[in-house]
Amino acid sequence: MDSGLFALFLPITLALMMMGLGLELSINDFLRVGRHPKAIFLALFTQLVVLVGIAFLICKILNLPPLLAVGMMLLAASPGGPTANLFSYIYKGDVALNITLTALNSIICSFTLPFIVNLSILYFLGDTKTIGMPVDKIAQVFLIIFIPVCVGMLLRHIAPSLAYQLTRPMRLISIFFIFFIFIYALFREKSNVVLYFADVGLATGIFCFSSLLLGYIITQMANIPERQARACTFEIGIHNTAISITIALSVLSNPTIAIPAGVYTIFMYVFVVLFGFLLTRKSNHLISNTQVTKT
């Protein structure tokens, strides 16, 4: 599959998975989101403020080269995206909360991302060149998320029995496509993987792991219900690397700045799958203990 075909295949695949996600949502799910303002505030504050600070500390402590440091800050400043919603869908988080967080985060990041990246360029490179947020990418995020989700929700409303029958197959299809995309991305960059990991592997690995762990710990300490905690964790721990790479290549015209986002993508899939597996085991363990207590 060449890069042009993959560029067409990826948004179509994401839209299909988002439609499957919509099959499990109703209007009432979004109305309930208003009951969790604390979860929304914590998730947005952690991703927009705390993670940016962590990324800066990683750049300083590991003494990253200036261009890679800018790439790390660009990654940290990027919003969540459809992938966060999909993993929340697969691992039984509050998907409606995820979609709301992604929408709010994307809007806020249209202002904060240029600000953070411009400061990073000035600090690490001493360059006064400024950037703006590509509007087409923000629009693409909304299109990939909301239109397919609305189609799925409409199908659930019109034919609830059919939607119920499609739920499990669509979840399995989502898992398959995520795995396929990861393998393809790894194969496509196989000649550069070792070099990329040597340059920025430790930094992106620490950032990815700390994002997921911090997201879950903060929500647990705040006594946020499990489904909402999972949604917040995936939203905090998963960044829209497509936006990061696009800005690095098309706006900043520097492939080196795109490297952290590319390496992060590999860690992201590995860590999120492992994290989701641990959450599933935790849930099964709690259910088993509850059943034993009742008997």
Side-chain angles (χ1 to χ4, degrees):
M1 184 183 295
D2 59 36
S3 58
L5 186 58
F6 183 74
L8 176 64
F9 170 78
L10 182 57
I12 293 174
T13 301
L14 290 174
L16 179 64
M17 290 188 283
M18 295 305 293
M19 187 184 76
L21 182 154
L23 292 173
E24 300 191 40
L25 291 175
S26 68
I27 296 296
N28 290 332
D29 294 321
F30 289 94
L31 296 178
R32 283 195 295 270
V33 169
R35 302 174 190 171
H36 305 287
K38 181 168 66 173
I40 293 175
F41 171 78
L42 279 176
L44 293 177
F45 180 80
T46 303
Q47 189 173 47
L48 293 167
V49 179
V50 178
L51 291 189
V52 172
I54 290 175
F56 180 77
L57 287 176
I58 290 173
C59 292
K60 294 296 291 182
I61 292 172
L62 297 182
N63 195 28
L64 292 183
L67 288 173
L68 293 179
V70 172
M72 278 294 298
M73 298 305 296
L74 170 59
L75 171 65
S78 297
T83 309
N85 303 328
L86 291 171
F87 275 111
S88 186
Y89 164 54
I90 291 169
Y91 293 113
K92 297 180 171 60
D94 190 330
V95 178
L97 177 59
N98 263 109
I99 293 175
T100 301
L101 285 170
T102 299
L104 291 173
N105 203 0
S106 296
I107 294 171
I108 296 171
C109 279
S110 65
F111 300 99
T112 59
L113 187 147
F115 176 74
I116 292 169
V117 175
N118 287 331
L119 282 181
S120 301
I121 291 173
L122 183 62
Y123 182 85
F124 290 108
L125 299 177
D127 194 344
T128 57
K129 177 183 178 181
T130 60
I131 70 163
M133 184 68 168
V135 178
D136 60 327
K137 282 297 171 183
I138 289 292
Q140 187 181 50
V141 169
F142 279 100
L143 290 175
I144 289 175
I145 292 175
F146 288 108
I147 292 180
V149 166
C150 289
V151 171
M153 291 174 63
L154 181 63
L155 181 59
R156 173 176 172 167
H157 179 73
I158 296 173
S161 59
L162 175 61
Y164 178 77
Q165 293 174 2
L166 290 175
T167 295
R168 181 174 174 79
M170 290 299 290
R171 195 184 294 271
L172 293 175
I173 288 173
S174 296
I175 294 172
F176 169 78
F177 276 132
I178 286 176
F179 180 75
F180 171 79
I181 291 168
F182 168 66
I183 294 299
Y184 175 78
L186 193 62
F187 175 78
R188 186 178 170 187
E189 296 294 333
K190 61 183 185 297
S191 59
N192 297 316
V193 165
V194 175
L195 179 61
Y196 290 169
F197 268 81
D199 288 338
V200 77
L202 180 60
T204 53
I206 292 173
F207 181 69
C208 184
F209 178 79
S210 59
S211 298
L212 287 167
L213 184 63
L214 188 63
Y216 193 67
I217 288 176
I218 287 176
T219 52
Q220 291 294 301
M221 291 177 62
N223 294 319
I224 292 174
E226 181 67 18
R227 289 186 69 241
Q228 285 73 41
R230 293 187 183 195
C232 292
T233 300
F234 291 125
E235 190 67 30
I236 292 168
I238 297 175
H239 292 263
N240 194 328
T241 53
I243 287 180
S244 301
I245 293 171
T246 298
I247 291 175
L249 296 179
S250 63
V251 181
L252 298 176
S253 302
N254 195 305
T256 304
I257 295 177
I259 289 174
V263 176
Y264 171 88
T265 302
I266 297 173
F267 279 110
M268 179 182 75
Y269 282 112
V270 174
F271 285 170
V272 171
V273 169
L274 291 175
F275 196 80
F277 174 74
L278 292 175
L279 290 179
T280 302
R281 288 198 62 182
K282 175 188 173 185
S283 297
N284 293 339
H285 181 68
L286 290 176
I287 291 172
S288 299
N289 286 345
T290 302
Q291 290 174 343
V292 169
T293 302
K294 287 182 178 179
T295 55

